Structure formats: C-alpha cells, structure tokens
Amino acid sequence: MASGSDREGGRLRWLDCNARIGAWSNPQPEQFMDAAGLTDAWDRVGIEGGLVYHAWGWEWSPARANEMLLEEVAAEPRMRPCYVALPHATHEMEPVLRFAAQVRQSRGAVRIFPAKHGWSTQDWCAGALFDALQSTSVPLLVDITQVSWDAIAGICAGHPRLNVIVLETFYRVDRMVYPLMERYPKLHLEANTYAPFLGPEGIVSNFGAERLVFGTAMPELDAGGPMALVSYADVSEEDRAKIAGGNLLRLLGEEE
Amino acid sequence: MSMSLLEYARTGTPVEELFICDAHAHMGPYFNFLVNDEGSPGAMVRSMDRLGIDLSIVSPHIAITCDFREGNRHAYEAAEQFPGRILPFVVVNPNFPAAETEAEIARWDAKGILAFKFHASLHGTDTLNDGYTPAYEYANAHSLPILSHSWSGAGGPLKVIETLSGRYPNIQFVNAHSSSGWSVIDASCELAERFERVWLDLTGSRLVYGGVERMVARVGAERILWGTDSPFIDPRPGLGRMLCADLTDEDKRKILGENARGLYRL
C-alpha cells in the first residue's frame, strides 16, 4: 500500500480499512485465511491494499497475533498492520506509549474488541490506551458489535483528537450516528455495511466526505457490495476518491 | 457487453445492457430508522436509474407493519405514477377477518394482482395462520407466486412448504432473505433442493463472502432471484455483490432479472 495521490491514472484508488488474515474457529470453504488469499481477493475486484488484522488477535492472543501480523505484512507491501489492542493494566501488551509509537512507526492502526475480550472502554480501564493512540495520531477501529453507541460517544468525548472509525454498522443506525457525527468531528464510519437508503449521500451532505472510509470486512463479507456503495454514490468525483481510499491514506498520515 | 459486469460495479456505471428486476423492494418511511427522502417512489426510481435497475416490485413498509390496505393503495399508486418501473405486491395481514382479506383481494383483482407478499414476522404470526387462506386460494387459482419474509410455522420451513405445496399445487414459493449468513444459505438451499416450486431470494444485509456462489453451486442459477429490500436497505450493496460475484455473466443475467421475468410473467 503505497502513499501517493488518491487517484492514479484517472482511476479510483481502492484501499480497504477492514480486512483479516489468519485462522479462526469456524471458516467456510469459500473463505480464505492467508495473505495470498486476501491479495487474490483484492486483485479480483481491483483493491490496491489496506489495513489488515490477524484473526488470532480476535479469538486468541492480541500480543501473539500482532507479532504474527508483523511477519505477514513485512512480506506483503500492500498490507498495513492493524494491531489488536488491550488496555494497559494487565500488562499483556507493551506499555501503551511504546505500543502506540510502534504502531505509528509502521503507519498502522489499532482495532479493539472490548465485548469479546472482556474490558470496558471507559477511562478507568482504557483511558491510557486511548490517550496514547491520540497522542501518536493512530486511528482506532472498532466494530459496532463490540461497543455501544454510548461507548463510542464516551471515547470521542474523552479523547477529542483521536480518529475513530466505526465498522460494520449496517443500516438501522442514523438516529445514533447523526448526533454523534454532529458532535465529534473525528468520528468516521466504514462505508461497507453502512447501508441506509442513500446513506452515503446523507453523510457527505451533512458532515462531509471525510467521514466515510471504504472497507470490505473480507473474508467475512463480500467486497462488491461496499464497492458499489461508493462507486455509485451521488457525490462529486473528489468526494468519491476520498471515500474509496484518500481518507484512509490521510488517517494513516500518508496524505500528499 | 463492452465490459465485464464487475467493471460496471468498479466504475459505478449504470447496467443498462441487462434487464434488472429488484424482485423484493419496499417503499416509504420506517419506524425504527431513518429512510432518506422518506423512501418515496420518486427517490426509488432515481436510485434505480443511477444503477440501471429497470423494475422494482414493492410492498410499502406501511403494508408490512400497521396498515396493509393503505400500503397496497400506495403501491398501486406508485405503479401508476411510474409505469413499467414499479409494480405492486399485494400484502395481506392474516390477523384481520377473512372477509376483509377477501375484500382487499377483490379490490385489486380488477387492476390485476402480480403476486402476494407476506411478512408474518412483522405481523406477529406465522405463514400457517388461517388468515392467509384467502390469499393462498387466490394465488393457487391464478398460479401466482408468494414472496414471504420466511416460511415460518410449526415444524419449520421444510414442514411448512411440504404442507403448503401439497395443499396448493400451483403456487410458487419465494423464500426471502435466503443468503443472510451461512446457516441460512444452507437451510435455504435444502429447501430449494427438496421442493422444485421454491425460489431463493437474495435480499439481505449481511452479504457473506462467497455466499451467492455456494447457492448457485448447490441449486443452480435458475431459481435464484435478486432483490434488495430498497429503501429499507440501500440497493447498491446487493447490486455490487451480484456484479462482482465469481459467477458467469450468464448466471448473473438470470439472477438479476431473467428469472423474475419468467416467474412474474413480466
């Protein structure tokens, strides 16, 4: 995943903020687990690259998963690491400032699974982690099955310079999303399953195209759906390019 | 076609070369989330134009929730407002007396009934409710399809379809949301494999990686129907999933419109 313009040769640059590699507990025969499978899937639909997390970090050990992830992405320049994080107090990971600096140096991001991993996003538990990510300009990704909208509000309120990308929201969310978008300018949505009728147009006209980030959720979900949500959006070509890839580049600090 | 269907999705080009029928659409606002532009018929047709969808068959949200008669009126009005672009399902609510259901069917019989839409879940019942009998009998007498949110009832969908298909030999049973997750896909395919008058509808929000490819591998492309739930859900994810699927363009052509053309005699 190279830095550079969000359009190259007049074509959209598609960059995926939400992809996964590694083994997990209940794969289907159609799904891939390895990096080669992901790059093949990206190639099929024309996605240049993106942020990748390791399934072990979801279902086993974030620390071990991040080590494995770094080995994988070192061999695949199209992939940027999306580390899985835990709060600091149990010392299961590097101290948070050292961890955040490492993520920043690798131009990666951090994903959290508070519900599955059994911790709270409130500051008494995770404030130090979020402070560290904020101070190093590392984006935080979380899917909405893992936190409540109240928790999202709490993270954004307590850490107003932290870029947050909420993933896999589906379509019944605007009565929560709109007031949060109004209040917290660093809040972003993955333009994947965010599929209210004319939803992307509503976000762009009310809050700006900077707030949507393309992602696929492969190998769980299909890539064609989120791609069409962006490619057919009734927005300017400049805004479309931001959503397809430009915003992710910006959030990872690679804006031209 | 000058480019692949996948390339249409990548470039956001309306798919004007194919007949595309959204065989499971709705219309109007909804109670527990925002529907932009109130999901109006005009907004739906503008959205269809942007994608290249020729026709949508609709059951308004009001029909599948609180007022099936008002909803049917909305659907027929929209069909008159946008001829050839919107067609109505007739919705019945089995919680109402049979005489009222019969009157509602008679009301639309004069204008022509294409098919019925059942939403037993939102109507708080199941598809074996006796209140559906007038619709089953009409559909059987006229060899019409019925699109149902699910074929729910005692014993589960296999038992329900076994019962209904024995009782009504001329009805085609469309199983909505057949691809919403792996367990649903496998159960839906089993239903289609067991009963040749079962059709599988792709409408849904959770479009799993490789799901439609498994469905085609198991049951073939000929009894799979494309639908989007629009404007309950935006139609673009459903279209993009089909255009980018790892299937032949011929299979995509059948699923996106030709199968609906045959089933609904369009």
Side-chain angles (χ1 to χ4, degrees):
Chain A
M1 185 175 138
S3 59
S5 166
D6 49 18
R7 269 189 176 275
E8 286 192 341
R11 293 173 68 95
L12 285 176
R13 291 184 71 187
W14 295 94
L15 300 173
D16 185 353
C17 78
N18 181 12
R20 190 180 74 209
I21 56 174
W24 73 98
S25 57
N26 60 343
Q28 300 291 326
E30 290 83 355
Q31 295 172 307
F32 56 82
M33 290 195 222
D34 58 1
L38 176 58
T39 53
D40 285 350
W42 277 342
D43 286 341
R44 239 194 110 253
V45 294
I47 295 171
E48 179 182 316
L51 276 174
V52 179
Y53 74 102
H54 198 287
W56 291 1
W58 168 45
E59 285 197 320
W60 180 48
S61 163
R64 299 290 186 179
N66 293 339
E67 292 170 6
M68 180 58 74
L69 177 69
L70 289 178
E71 285 184 25
E72 296 269 8
V73 301
E76 180 44 79
R78 297 166 67 182
M79 296 181 182
R80 282 292 158 75
C82 191
Y83 299 70
V84 178
L86 296 170
H88 71 287
T90 50
H91 307 291
E92 294 171 87
M93 305 190 68
E94 294 281 313
V96 288
L97 278 172
R98 191 186 308 164
F99 170 70
Q102 180 191 7
V103 177
R104 179 65 181 171
Q105 188 175 19
S106 61
R107 294 195 182 273
V110 163
R111 182 161 180 163
I112 55 173
F113 296 92
K116 189 168 180 76
H117 293 168
W119 55 272
S120 168
T121 60
Q122 296 209 16
D123 273 359
W124 58 262
C125 185
L129 171 64
F130 298 147
D131 280 343
L133 300 179
Q134 175 176 254
S135 68
T136 49
S137 300
V138 170
L140 175 72
L141 289 80
V142 61
D143 80 70
I144 200 59
T145 65
Q146 293 296 310
V147 287
S148 67
W149 288 108
D150 283 335
I152 296 290
I155 295 169
C156 293
H159 313 277
R161 291 180 288 106
L162 176 61
N163 284 303
V164 177
I165 306 174
V166 184
L167 310 171
E168 299 173 38
T169 58
F170 293 92
Y171 55 94
R172 298 177 189 248
V173 295
D174 280 338
R175 290 177 187 155
M176 296 290 191
V177 162
Y178 274 46
L180 288 171
M181 284 276 186
E182 273 183 1
R183 189 175 285 250
Y184 303 115
K186 298 291 188 183
L187 179 64
H188 305 74
L189 292 183
E190 181 191 27
N192 170 355
T193 57
Y194 174 70
F197 181 61
L198 305 177
E201 288 85 351
I203 294 294
V204 170
S205 64
N206 284 288
F207 309 107
E210 294 74 17
R211 312 294 286 277
L212 292 172
V213 183
F214 172 72
T216 67
M218 289 198 291
E220 286 296 328
L221 302 182
D222 183 84
M227 183 168 271
L229 198 61
V230 178
S231 67
Y232 286 104
D234 188 9
V235 298
S236 70
E237 289 306 305
E238 182 183 356
D239 284 348
R240 192 185 327 282
K242 288 178 182 174
I243 300 168
N247 290 339
L248 183 59
L249 285 175
R250 173 177 53 81
L251 292 169
L252 295 177
E254 297 192 359
E255 194 172 26
E256 276 192 322
Chain B
M1 284 179 291
S2 55
M3 59 183 178
S4 71
L5 291 176
L6 189 151
E7 196 60 18
Y8 279 82
R10 271 178 49 83
T11 56
T13 306
V15 191
E16 291 170 348
E17 287 74 6
L18 298 184
F19 172 70
I20 299 187
C21 175
D22 184 346
H24 182 161
H26 296 286
M27 204 168 74
Y30 196 69
F31 67 91
N32 78 341
F33 54 86
L34 168 68
V35 179
N36 283 301
D37 291 352
E38 287 200 316
S40 69
M44 289 180 67
V45 169
R46 285 192 294 278
S47 165
M48 291 160 62
D49 288 343
R50 193 161 185 84
L51 306 182
I53 299 171
D54 295 277
L55 171 67
S56 291
I57 311 177
V58 306
S59 55
H61 295 133
I62 188 173
I64 60 172
T65 54
C66 55
D67 194 331
F68 69 107
R69 286 174 286 217
E70 182 71 1
N72 289 333
R73 189 177 69 75
H74 291 184
Y76 275 84
E77 275 184 5
E80 286 181 6
Q81 187 183 357
F82 294 101
R85 307 301 307 281
I86 290 178
L87 283 174
F89 284 110
V90 168
V91 177
V92 297
N93 182 340
N95 298 314
F96 284 70
E100 294 188 32
T101 302
E102 289 164 2
E104 182 66 6
I105 293 170
R107 178 187 182 197
W108 301 116
D109 175 69
K111 288 183 179 280
I113 295 178
L114 180 78
F116 289 98
K117 165 70 195 266
F118 293 174
H119 207 309
S121 172
L122 283 171
H123 285 154
T125 182
D126 65 53
T127 49
L128 294 179
N129 187 316
D130 286 343
Y132 281 124
T133 300
Y136 282 128
E137 290 181 345
Y138 184 97
N140 193 54
H142 295 81
S143 299
L144 299 183
I146 298 176
L147 167 64
S148 184
H149 176 76
S150 63
W151 291 101
S152 56
L158 286 169
K159 185 66 182 169
V160 169
I161 292 293
E162 182 180 21
T163 301
L164 293 172
S165 62
R167 197 179 292 166
Y168 304 110
N170 300 319
I171 293 176
Q172 304 292 321
F173 300 91
V174 183
N175 187 57
H177 311 300
S178 296
S179 64
S180 298
W182 293 107
S183 60
V184 175
I185 286 171
D186 287 339
S188 300
C189 288
E190 185 181 0
L191 202 60
E193 287 164 346
R194 288 272 300 275
F195 301 100
E196 63 183 19
R197 282 184 285 129
V198 165
W199 298 65
L200 303 182
D201 156 305
L202 293 176
T203 301
S205 59
R206 189 170 176 78
L207 310 177
V208 294
Y209 182 86
V212 68
E213 290 84 347
R214 181 185 293 187
M215 293 172 71
V216 171
R218 280 190 63 172
V219 305
E222 288 72 19
R223 280 189 291 149
I224 298 177
L225 299 169
W226 183 73
T228 70
D229 250 351
S230 176
F232 195 89
I233 304 171
D234 194 279
R236 289 168 286 197
L239 181 65
R241 183 263 288 265
M242 271 310 305
L243 295 177
C244 295
D246 193 8
L247 299 172
T248 66
D249 279 3
E250 177 59 16
D251 281 348
K252 295 178 188 179
R253 187 180 67 83
K254 291 175 183 172
I255 293 168
L256 283 166
E258 293 305 321
N259 293 342
R261 195 201 298 271
L263 176 65
Y264 292 109
R265 294 174 255 182
L266 303 172

